[in-house]
Amino acid sequence: MKIFISSARKGLEEERDALDGLIRALGHTPVRFEDFSAQSTPSREACLRALASADVCFFLLGPFYGHVFPETGQSATHDEWVAAQAAGMPRAVYRKQGVTFEPAQHAFTQSVEAYATGVFRDSFHTTAELMTKVVQKVQELASAESPLAFAKLAQPPTLHWDSDDTASQNVRNHESLLELHVLPLDFVGYSARELEQLGASLMDRIRATRLVGSDVALSSTRSDGYVAVGIPAGRPPAWGTPQPGELVEVRLYKTGQLSMRATLPRDGLGPILDPDALPQQVAGLLRSAGALGIVQADRIVVAAGVSTEALMSIDTFNPRQSRQSAHPMGFGRARRPLRTEPDESVTLAALGAGAAEVAPHLAQALISQAGR
């Protein structure tokens, strides 16, 4: 495994140096900013690229927050936490005891604890104690079987499809929308109080995972059955300019269903159902759903759909150039939504490490329906 070690160096110098040798001795590859940067303050971009190449990330929380990058207003460790969470990367967190945390680090630690549900966390007093615990964790990760597992459903699940909701259709009825639904299995649903509390935190959860920019104005909607946050879709600088798909809504139902809605890629000739790009977009929505930290059931059901419009076509999206011709699939035939029909449940890993495996199945089912 490639194991990324994330922390400020100040206050954790001994621990970082010790882990480098320990991980190598265990037969794995440590990834640290010390190894690819001679600067006292590592490049943010280099750190995030290295993180993306790793299999697992170990976070050490010591007394100091670290250098704040002007691009994000956060430290490298904070940026790496957000990136690892959004990617669904396995994370292990170790907090140093017996030291005083500076205010910024204390606030960051609180955010880790608030959004790290299900993430392994531990503490240590000495470097020797940390090394013992890391050995155990590395061995556990190395011997673990794939966390992604499927099981046949006894009966079809009851899902809320946004394309059936008249209010949803009226919001963006000129777009072809991709919708992804995650339903916890054997979940009794939320009480009105629980739904209200989760709804109140939904905007903060979305912003904390960097699903949208800090300058984007979000809107909130509530009803007896769900809470939702709307995200305004960006507009191209000129008409007809190719535009990638964008997240436009996150909705949480009282039943426990979490739904993500996004536009499809489009250019001047209409929305595009791209067989190559669609699996990546679905995988991104799966990871985003997991990054919110709301769904915690051991097993879930996932489903995807596309609300069609007359100009939608199966084609290749080019972000640099609009198409010169297209073959819309909607003319001369009834407009009907495309939907997957789930007959299996899957482990929660589908919203993280298993997203890249689950997404192609969902995307292929939609493409097949569209081509009929």
Side-chain angles (χ1 to χ4, degrees), residues 83-113:
Q85 185 182 42
M89 180 179 292
R91 291 154 284 157
V93 181
Y94 300 89
R95 177 174 179 170
K96 190 168 186 177
Q97 300 294 314
V99 295
T100 301
F101 281 35
E102 62 182 7
Q105 182 70 339
H106 177 70
F108 171 53
T109 301
Q110 286 187 317
S111 71
V112 168
E113 293 173 350

Side-chain angles (χ1 to χ4, degrees), residues 165-186:
D165 188 336
T166 303
S168 293
Q169 293 174 352
N170 290 337
V171 173
R172 303 187 61 82
N173 56 18
H174 62 290
E175 296 277 12
S176 286
L177 290 177
L178 169 65
E179 50 184 303
L180 177 83
H181 307 297
V182 179
L183 180 67
L185 204 60
D186 299 325

Side-chain angles (χ1 to χ4, degrees), residues 2-84:
K2 293 178 70 175
I3 301 174
F4 189 90
I5 304 172
S6 178
S7 77
R9 181 164 179 82
K10 184 179 179 181
L12 291 168
E13 297 92 337
E14 180 180 307
E15 289 88 346
R16 289 184 64 87
D17 291 341
L19 285 186
D20 180 73
L22 175 66
I23 291 171
R24 294 181 190 278
L26 293 172
H28 304 285
T29 303
V31 182
R32 308 182 303 155
F33 72 78
E34 292 94 332
D35 299 327
F36 56 83
S37 173
Q39 308 172 39
S40 59
T41 301
S43 163
R44 174 178 179 270
E45 292 74 21
C47 288
L48 293 179
R49 285 196 300 270
L51 171 69
S53 71
D55 300 301
V56 62
C57 190
F58 284 1
F59 288 87
L60 308 183
L61 301 179
F64 299 104
Y65 184 65
H67 172 77
V68 175
F69 288 95
E71 300 96 321
T72 62
Q74 299 179 159
S75 70
T77 305
H78 199 154
D79 283 345
E80 289 155 6
W81 171 260
V82 171

Side-chain angles (χ1 to χ4, degrees), residues 4-339:
F4 189 90
I5 304 172
S6 178
S7 77
R9 181 164 179 82
K10 184 179 179 181
L12 291 168
E13 297 92 337
E14 180 180 307
E15 289 88 346
R16 289 184 64 87
D17 291 341
L19 285 186
D20 180 73
L22 175 66
I23 291 171
R24 294 181 190 278
L26 293 172
H28 304 285
T29 303
V31 182
R32 308 182 303 155
F33 72 78
E34 292 94 332
D35 299 327
F36 56 83
S37 173
Q39 308 172 39
S40 59
T41 301
S43 163
R44 174 178 179 270
E45 292 74 21
C47 288
L48 293 179
R49 285 196 300 270
L51 171 69
S53 71
D55 300 301
V56 62
C57 190
F58 284 1
F59 288 87
L60 308 183
L61 301 179
F64 299 104
Y65 184 65
H67 172 77
V68 175
F69 288 95
E71 300 96 321
T72 62
Q74 299 179 159
S75 70
T77 305
H78 199 154
D79 283 345
E80 289 155 6
W81 171 260
V82 171
Q85 185 182 42
M89 180 179 292
R91 291 154 284 157
V93 181
Y94 300 89
R95 177 174 179 170
K96 190 168 186 177
Q97 300 294 314
V99 295
T100 301
F101 281 35
E102 62 182 7
Q105 182 70 339
H106 177 70
F108 171 53
T109 301
Q110 286 187 317
S111 71
V112 168
E113 293 173 350
Y115 289 97
T117 305
V119 173
F120 177 86
R121 294 191 298 281
D122 208 334
S123 59
F124 65 96
H125 289 84
T126 66
T127 301
E129 183 181 3
L130 172 64
M131 293 179 70
T132 299
K133 292 185 175 184
V134 167
V135 168
Q136 294 172 346
K137 189 60 181 177
V138 169
Q139 291 174 341
E140 175 189 323
L141 289 167
S143 62
E145 296 180 0
S146 171
L148 194 66
F150 296 87
K152 187 173 179 60
L153 289 170
Q155 57 186 14
T158 301
L159 293 168
H160 296 277
W161 290 95
D162 296 339
S163 51
D164 288 340
D165 188 336
T166 303
S168 293
Q169 293 174 352
N170 290 337
V171 173
R172 303 187 61 82
N173 56 18
H174 62 290
E175 296 277 12
S176 286
L177 290 177
L178 169 65
E179 50 184 303
L180 177 83
H181 307 297
V182 179
L183 180 67
L185 204 60
D186 299 325
F187 182 66
V188 296
Y190 299 114
S191 66
R193 176 188 58 81
E194 289 172 328
L195 187 64
E196 177 67 22
Q197 290 179 340
L198 286 169
S201 72
L202 194 51
M203 281 190 182
D204 289 339
R205 289 173 183 265
I206 291 171
R207 292 199 186 279
T209 55
R210 295 298 187 269
L211 297 178
V212 299
S214 59
D215 58 338
V216 175
L218 306 180
S219 59
S220 180
T221 305
R222 283 178 168 81
S223 78
D224 291 338
Y226 67 84
V227 293
V229 171
I231 304 161
R235 293 301 174 192
W239 184 88
T241 302
Q243 188 174 19
E246 298 177 286
L247 182 68
V248 295
E249 187 186 67
V250 177
R251 184 178 296 194
L252 180 63
Y253 290 88
K254 195 172 184 179
T255 60
Q257 177 180 317
L258 178 65
S259 298
M260 318 283 285
R261 299 172 68 214
T263 59
L264 286 175
R266 65 182 302 129
D267 60 15
L269 297 179
I272 302 170
L273 204 59
D274 186 333
D276 294 325
L278 187 61
Q280 299 177 35
Q281 189 175 12
V282 172
L285 292 178
L286 285 168
R287 295 188 187 101
S288 296
L292 292 174
I294 294 176
V295 179
Q296 298 300 326
D298 292 334
R299 303 200 67 84
I300 58 175
V301 174
V302 293
V306 172
S307 56
T308 60
E309 67 166 72
L311 291 178
M312 187 175 79
S313 56
I314 301 176
D315 212 331
T316 299
F317 173 69
N318 185 341
R320 293 175 294 276
Q321 183 177 355
S322 185
R323 296 167 295 169
Q324 300 300 310
S325 63
H327 301 284
M329 53 180 287
F331 291 119
R333 54 195 284 189
R335 291 169 56 184
R336 56 180 178 79
L338 312 174
R339 296 175 179 176

